[in-house]
PDB file of all heavy atoms in Angstrom:
ATOM      1  N   ASP J 120       0.942  -2.700   2.901  1.00  0.00           N
ATOM      2  CA  ASP J 120       1.996  -3.528   3.685  1.00  0.00           C
ATOM      3  C   ASP J 120       1.420  -4.135   4.853  1.00  0.00           C
ATOM      4  O   ASP J 120       1.789  -5.253   5.271  1.00  0.00           O
ATOM      5  CB  ASP J 120       3.173  -2.739   3.914  1.00  0.00           C
ATOM      6  CG  ASP J 120       3.872  -2.113   2.655  1.00  0.00           C
ATOM      7  OD1 ASP J 120       3.718  -2.755   1.542  1.00  0.00           O
ATOM      8  OD2 ASP J 120       4.354  -0.955   2.743  1.00  0.00           O
ATOM      9  N   LEU J 121       0.631  -3.435   5.629  1.00  0.00           N
ATOM     10  CA  LEU J 121       0.038  -3.924   6.837  1.00  0.00           C
ATOM     11  C   LEU J 121      -1.307  -4.528   6.834  1.00  0.00           C
ATOM     12  O   LEU J 121      -1.845  -5.067   7.804  1.00  0.00           O
ATOM     13  CB  LEU J 121      -0.056  -2.789   7.919  1.00  0.00           C
ATOM     14  CG  LEU J 121       1.251  -2.098   8.263  1.00  0.00           C
ATOM     15  CD1 LEU J 121       0.951  -1.011   9.369  1.00  0.00           C
ATOM     16  CD2 LEU J 121       2.309  -3.023   8.876  1.00  0.00           C
ATOM     17  N   ASP J 122      -1.767  -4.612   5.542  1.00  0.00           N
ATOM     18  CA  ASP J 122      -3.111  -5.331   5.281  1.00  0.00           C
ATOM     19  C   ASP J 122      -4.198  -4.811   6.174  1.00  0.00           C
ATOM     20  O   ASP J 122      -4.954  -5.542   6.766  1.00  0.00           O
ATOM     21  CB  ASP J 122      -2.930  -6.784   5.435  1.00  0.00           C
ATOM     22  CG  ASP J 122      -4.154  -7.595   4.823  1.00  0.00           C
ATOM     23  OD1 ASP J 122      -4.688  -7.083   3.806  1.00  0.00           O
ATOM     24  OD2 ASP J 122      -4.386  -8.663   5.349  1.00  0.00           O
ATOM     25  N   VAL J 123      -4.283  -3.393   6.223  1.00  0.00           N
ATOM     26  CA  VAL J 123      -5.349  -2.829   7.050  1.00  0.00           C
ATOM     27  C   VAL J 123      -6.576  -2.656   6.157  1.00  0.00           C
ATOM     28  O   VAL J 123      -6.553  -2.706   4.952  1.00  0.00           O
ATOM     29  CB  VAL J 123      -4.868  -1.508   7.717  1.00  0.00           C
ATOM     30  CG1 VAL J 123      -3.711  -1.769   8.705  1.00  0.00           C
ATOM     31  CG2 VAL J 123      -4.572  -0.455   6.719  1.00  0.00           C
ATOM     32  N   ARG J 124      -7.680  -2.484   6.833  1.00  0.00           N
ATOM     33  CA  ARG J 124      -8.937  -2.343   6.110  1.00  0.00           C
ATOM     34  C   ARG J 124      -9.723  -1.155   6.653  1.00  0.00           C
ATOM     35  O   ARG J 124      -9.540  -0.712   7.833  1.00  0.00           O
ATOM     36  CB  ARG J 124      -9.880  -3.656   6.322  1.00  0.00           C
ATOM     37  CG  ARG J 124      -9.168  -4.814   5.827  1.00  0.00           C
ATOM     38  CD  ARG J 124      -9.393  -4.989   4.355  1.00  0.00           C
ATOM     39  NE  ARG J 124      -8.827  -6.213   3.858  1.00  0.00           N
ATOM     40  CZ  ARG J 124      -7.720  -6.290   3.121  1.00  0.00           C
ATOM     41  NH1 ARG J 124      -7.162  -5.265   2.776  1.00  0.00           N
ATOM     42  NH2 ARG J 124      -7.330  -7.403   2.647  1.00  0.00           N
ATOM     43  N   PRO J 125     -10.682  -0.519   5.826  1.00  0.00           N
ATOM     44  CA  PRO J 125     -11.537   0.480   6.382  1.00  0.00           C
ATOM     45  C   PRO J 125     -12.241  -0.104   7.699  1.00  0.00           C
ATOM     46  O   PRO J 125     -12.630  -1.294   7.725  1.00  0.00           O
ATOM     47  CB  PRO J 125     -12.542   0.735   5.323  1.00  0.00           C
ATOM     48  CG  PRO J 125     -11.796   0.493   4.061  1.00  0.00           C
ATOM     49  CD  PRO J 125     -11.015  -0.769   4.499  1.00  0.00           C
ATOM     50  N   GLU J 126     -12.436   0.791   8.710  1.00  0.00           N
ATOM     51  CA  GLU J 126     -13.073   0.468   9.937  1.00  0.00           C
ATOM     52  C   GLU J 126     -12.034  -0.108  10.898  1.00  0.00           C
ATOM     53  O   GLU J 126     -12.385  -0.425  12.070  1.00  0.00           O
ATOM     54  CB  GLU J 126     -14.309  -0.349   9.911  1.00  0.00           C
ATOM     55  CG  GLU J 126     -15.351   0.223   9.031  1.00  0.00           C
ATOM     56  CD  GLU J 126     -15.923   1.594   9.412  1.00  0.00           C
ATOM     57  OE1 GLU J 126     -15.761   2.024  10.661  1.00  0.00           O
ATOM     58  OE2 GLU J 126     -16.402   2.333   8.566  1.00  0.00           O
ATOM     59  N   SER J 127     -10.758  -0.379  10.473  1.00  0.00           N
ATOM     60  CA  SER J 127      -9.759  -0.944  11.508  1.00  0.00           C
ATOM     61  C   SER J 127      -9.632   0.131  12.620  1.00  0.00           C
ATOM     62  O   SER J 127      -9.687   1.386  12.311  1.00  0.00           O
ATOM     63  CB  SER J 127      -8.448  -1.098  10.821  1.00  0.00           C
ATOM     64  OG  SER J 127      -8.444  -2.123   9.875  1.00  0.00           O
ATOM     65  N   VAL J 128      -9.502  -0.285  13.811  1.00  0.00           N
ATOM     66  CA  VAL J 128      -9.412   0.625  15.011  1.00  0.00           C
ATOM     67  C   VAL J 128      -7.903   1.260  14.971  1.00  0.00           C
ATOM     68  O   VAL J 128      -7.005   0.386  14.956  1.00  0.00           O
ATOM     69  CB  VAL J 128      -9.751  -0.134  16.287  1.00  0.00           C
ATOM     70  CG1 VAL J 128      -9.418   0.834  17.462  1.00  0.00           C
ATOM     71  CG2 VAL J 128     -11.144  -0.614  16.276  1.00  0.00           C
ATOM     72  N   VAL J 129      -7.890   2.517  15.282  1.00  0.00           N
ATOM     73  CA  VAL J 129      -6.602   3.235  15.360  1.00  0.00           C
ATOM     74  C   VAL J 129      -6.564   3.753  16.798  1.00  0.00           C
ATOM     75  O   VAL J 129      -7.530   4.300  17.305  1.00  0.00           O
ATOM     76  CB  VAL J 129      -6.524   4.352  14.435  1.00  0.00           C
ATOM     77  CG1 VAL J 129      -5.175   5.122  14.619  1.00  0.00           C
ATOM     78  CG2 VAL J 129      -6.539   3.859  13.001  1.00  0.00           C
ATOM     79  N   THR J 130      -5.395   3.524  17.488  1.00  0.00           N
ATOM     80  CA  THR J 130      -5.314   4.099  18.770  1.00  0.00           C
ATOM     81  C   THR J 130      -3.903   4.826  18.916  1.00  0.00           C
ATOM     82  O   THR J 130      -2.935   4.469  18.361  1.00  0.00           O
ATOM     83  CB  THR J 130      -5.410   3.121  19.990  1.00  0.00           C
ATOM     84  OG1 THR J 130      -4.373   2.077  19.752  1.00  0.00           O
ATOM     85  CG2 THR J 130      -6.716   2.477  19.985  1.00  0.00           C
ATOM     86  N   PHE J 131      -3.913   5.952  19.661  1.00  0.00           N
ATOM     87  CA  PHE J 131      -2.831   6.741  20.108  1.00  0.00           C
ATOM     88  C   PHE J 131      -2.705   6.670  21.551  1.00  0.00           C
ATOM     89  O   PHE J 131      -3.586   7.233  22.250  1.00  0.00           O
ATOM     90  CB  PHE J 131      -2.947   8.210  19.612  1.00  0.00           C
ATOM     91  CG  PHE J 131      -2.998   8.374  18.111  1.00  0.00           C
ATOM     92  CD1 PHE J 131      -4.256   8.245  17.552  1.00  0.00           C
ATOM     93  CD2 PHE J 131      -1.931   8.575  17.366  1.00  0.00           C
ATOM     94  CE1 PHE J 131      -4.421   8.429  16.231  1.00  0.00           C
ATOM     95  CE2 PHE J 131      -2.031   8.811  15.974  1.00  0.00           C
ATOM     96  CZ  PHE J 131      -3.361   8.723  15.376  1.00  0.00           C
ATOM     97  N   VAL J 132      -1.756   5.990  22.097  1.00  0.00           N
ATOM     98  CA  VAL J 132      -1.595   5.708  23.505  1.00  0.00           C
ATOM     99  C   VAL J 132      -0.397   6.395  24.087  1.00  0.00           C
ATOM    100  O   VAL J 132       0.649   6.370  23.361  1.00  0.00           O
ATOM    101  CB  VAL J 132      -1.449   4.182  23.853  1.00  0.00           C
ATOM    102  CG1 VAL J 132      -1.259   3.894  25.324  1.00  0.00           C
ATOM    103  CG2 VAL J 132      -2.548   3.440  23.315  1.00  0.00           C
ATOM    104  N   GLN J 133      -0.561   7.070  25.207  1.00  0.00           N
ATOM    105  CA  GLN J 133       0.606   7.798  25.750  1.00  0.00           C
ATOM    106  C   GLN J 133       1.843   6.951  25.876  1.00  0.00           C
ATOM    107  O   GLN J 133       1.885   5.853  26.329  1.00  0.00           O
ATOM    108  CB  GLN J 133       0.215   8.379  27.143  1.00  0.00           C
ATOM    109  CG  GLN J 133       1.207   9.289  27.744  1.00  0.00           C
ATOM    110  CD  GLN J 133       0.688   9.958  28.938  1.00  0.00           C
ATOM    111  OE1 GLN J 133      -0.319   9.473  29.546  1.00  0.00           O
ATOM    112  NE2 GLN J 133       1.245  11.046  29.405  1.00  0.00           N
ATOM    113  N   GLY J 134       2.928   7.477  25.351  1.00  0.00           N
ATOM    114  CA  GLY J 134       4.181   6.894  25.337  1.00  0.00           C
ATOM    115  C   GLY J 134       4.971   7.271  26.489  1.00  0.00           C
ATOM    116  O   GLY J 134       4.626   8.100  27.372  1.00  0.00           O
ATOM    117  N   ARG J 135       6.230   6.695  26.543  1.00  0.00           N
ATOM    118  CA  ARG J 135       7.272   7.129  27.582  1.00  0.00           C
ATOM    119  C   ARG J 135       8.295   7.952  26.874  1.00  0.00           C
ATOM    120  O   ARG J 135       8.604   7.633  25.676  1.00  0.00           O
ATOM    121  CB  ARG J 135       7.825   5.879  28.332  1.00  0.00           C
ATOM    122  CG  ARG J 135       6.786   5.108  29.091  1.00  0.00           C
ATOM    123  CD  ARG J 135       7.449   3.952  29.724  1.00  0.00           C
ATOM    124  NE  ARG J 135       8.199   3.197  28.857  1.00  0.00           N
ATOM    125  CZ  ARG J 135       7.762   2.031  28.281  1.00  0.00           C
ATOM    126  NH1 ARG J 135       6.522   1.749  28.355  1.00  0.00           N
ATOM    127  NH2 ARG J 135       8.593   1.275  27.448  1.00  0.00           N
ATOM    128  N   ALA J 136       9.002   8.828  27.550  1.00  0.00           N
ATOM    129  CA  ALA J 136      10.076   9.600  27.038  1.00  0.00           C
ATOM    130  C   ALA J 136      11.053   8.618  26.335  1.00  0.00           C
ATOM    131  O   ALA J 136      11.504   7.535  26.911  1.00  0.00           O
ATOM    132  CB  ALA J 136      10.751  10.510  28.052  1.00  0.00           C
ATOM    133  N   GLY J 137      11.458   8.825  25.014  1.00  0.00           N
ATOM    134  CA  GLY J 137      12.355   8.014  24.406  1.00  0.00           C
ATOM    135  C   GLY J 137      11.804   6.858  23.634  1.00  0.00           C
ATOM    136  O   GLY J 137      12.543   6.091  22.988  1.00  0.00           O
ATOM    137  N   ASP J 138      10.442   6.589  23.653  1.00  0.00           N
ATOM    138  CA  ASP J 138       9.889   5.463  23.010  1.00  0.00           C
ATOM    139  C   ASP J 138      10.029   5.634  21.558  1.00  0.00           C
ATOM    140  O   ASP J 138       9.821   6.723  20.978  1.00  0.00           O
ATOM    141  CB  ASP J 138       8.328   5.345  23.370  1.00  0.00           C
ATOM    142  CG  ASP J 138       8.027   4.573  24.624  1.00  0.00           C
ATOM    143  OD1 ASP J 138       9.045   3.996  25.192  1.00  0.00           O
ATOM    144  OD2 ASP J 138       6.894   4.488  24.942  1.00  0.00           O
TER     145      ASP J 138
END
Side-chain angles (χ1 to χ4, degrees):
D120 298 330
L121 297 183
D122 195 30
V123 297
R124 301 280 181 248
E126 303 300 335
S127 295
V128 175
V129 177
T130 56
F131 297 86
V132 178
Q133 186 169 20
R135 296 181 308 266
D138 273 356

